[in-house]
Amino acid sequence: MIRFDKVSKVYKRGARPALDRVSLEVERGEFVFLVGASGSGKSTFLRLVLREERATSGRVHVAGREITTLSQWKVPGLRRQIGVVFQDFRLLQNKTVFENVAFAQQVIGRPRHTIAREVPEVLELVKLAGKGKRLPHELSGGEQQRVAIARAIVNRPSILLADEPTGNLDPATSAGIMRLLDRINSTGTTVVMATHDEVIVDQMRKRVVQLVDGEVVRDEAEGRYVLQPDPAATGATGATGSGATENGPTTQERTA
Ligand SMILES: Nc1ncnc2c1ncn2[C@@H]1O[C@H](COP(=O)(O)OP(=O)(O)OP(=O)(O)O)[C@@H](O)[C@H]1O
């Protein structure tokens, strides 16, 4: 569903790459956590999938197409296959809950009767039935994130990208958001979530891809936020223990 082949991203000539020869494949229906310190390249990864940025070198495949060279006019078609959720919700403040979700359908030209049917369905799914007439400021943070998730999935994307979706929420509310994302994933949507939330990653036990300075240093099925030391190999490798998140290998300067 998503494939990176030796992908590098250099924002400014001569700067350290934000992503450095990343090769990674995410299969249809997977749930993947992207973890790593601030500045390690998580958001850059998500922006490349959305073609908000182009790779400096390497190839990015999303939903069956190579998108590095995709014509600009085909980018909206690509983005229709991808829902996105952010830490700060990004709702339209002067529109109601219903209108925020409906807007995502209007911009792609869905007919009014379809919108009238599907928006209530998705609001039901995110447990906001009955709150369609509220404005965003009349909702809690968790409810606002549910609206954002409803908006992201209403057009049934095959991929859902989430950039720190629980970053502004308390632990109990975050757990509810994670149950919802898990449910969406279980219906076949591929989910990639960038996060700093150790508790959530450790609870969910999904695939964990860890970035350090733009490089993938760990890719583990049913992983934890930090690499767990292997009791059978005490001190055998340098990359064990709770310090592994912040202390990965230093990237060599490289202009790709
Ligand atoms: N538009 C940009 N122009 C120049 N450099 C950028 C730009 N966006 C990101 N970077 C740099 O690329 C590197 C990776 O940033 P990125 O935002 O991908 O990290 P991140 O892991 O998502 O961090 P955070 O957890 O803080 O969101 C950082 O060194 C950052 O300063």
Side-chain angles (χ1 to χ4, degrees):
M1 184 54 63
I2 299 172
R3 197 173 87 229
F4 277 44
D5 291 330
K6 298 198 185 93
V7 172
S8 293
K9 174 66 188 174
V10 179
Y11 284 104
K12 286 195 188 103
R13 237 178 197 287
R16 187 170 59 72
L19 284 184
D20 195 2
R21 287 160 294 170
V22 167
S23 292
L24 186 69
E25 182 151 12
V26 178
E27 307 275 1
R28 178 185 294 273
E30 268 196 286
F31 193 121
V32 182
F33 285 118
L34 271 185
V35 305
S38 188
S40 58
K42 304 181 297 297
S43 302
T44 298
F45 181 93
L46 300 180
R47 286 201 290 269
L48 286 170
V49 174
L50 276 167
R51 243 296 288 273
E52 285 180 4
E53 296 286 349
R54 276 182 203 252
T56 310
S57 64
R59 293 272 171 269
V60 178
H61 293 83
V62 177
R65 355 182 186 194
E66 203 291 296
I67 65 161
T68 319
T69 54
L70 194 70
S71 318
Q72 197 59 38
W73 68 271
K74 288 186 179 166
V75 170
L78 165 75
R79 292 193 186 145
R80 255 177 233 184
Q81 309 220 37
I82 307 172
V84 197
V85 180
F86 301 95
Q87 177 171 356
D88 55 359
F89 321 136
R90 302 196 189 179
L91 300 176
L92 298 165
Q93 294 301 318
N94 58 346
K95 288 190 187 291
T96 64
V97 167
F98 185 100
E99 288 164 350
N100 264 279
V101 179
F103 189 67
Q105 297 202 291
Q106 286 159 359
V107 294
I108 63 160
R110 303 284 276 167
R112 202 179 299 181
H113 66 269
T114 306
I115 295 173
R117 188 184 68 244
E118 292 185 351
V119 174
E121 279 173 11
V122 78
L123 289 179
E124 175 93 41
L125 176 76
V126 302
K127 299 200 168 80
L128 284 176
K131 297 204 170 160
K133 291 196 173 127
R134 298 261 190 109
L135 289 166
H137 77 263
E138 298 169 329
L139 301 173
S140 69
E143 288 171 334
Q144 290 188 55
Q145 193 59 296
R146 287 173 186 278
V147 179
I149 292 170
R151 178 181 61 183
I153 63 169
V154 69
N155 293 324
R156 300 192 174 89
S158 48
I159 299 169
L160 181 62
L161 304 180
D163 199 351
E164 290 275 356
T166 60
N168 285 353
L169 305 174
D170 63 59
T173 310
S174 298
I177 293 294
M178 293 315 299
R179 280 195 295 276
L180 178 56
L181 294 180
D182 201 23
R183 197 136 63 89
I184 291 164
N185 173 243
S186 69
T187 65
T189 311
T190 307
V191 179
V192 181
M193 170 171 160
T195 187
H196 289 288
D197 197 325
E198 184 166 350
V199 173
I200 279 173
V201 174
D202 289 353
Q203 272 171 359
M204 300 274 294
R205 304 307 298 268
K206 302 284 189 186
R207 181 176 171 191
V208 173
V209 173
Q210 182 181 348
L211 291 169
V212 174
D213 291 343
E215 290 185 63
V216 174
V217 298
R218 177 164 62 107
D219 185 349
E220 204 182 356
E222 298 178 23
R224 291 178 186 266
Y225 187 80
V226 289
L227 186 65
Q228 295 300 297
D230 179 357
T234 38
T237 68
T240 55
S242 59
T245 306
E246 312 295 331
N247 301 330
T250 312
T251 309
Q252 293 206 320
E253 283 272 324
R254 176 168 179 272
T255 45

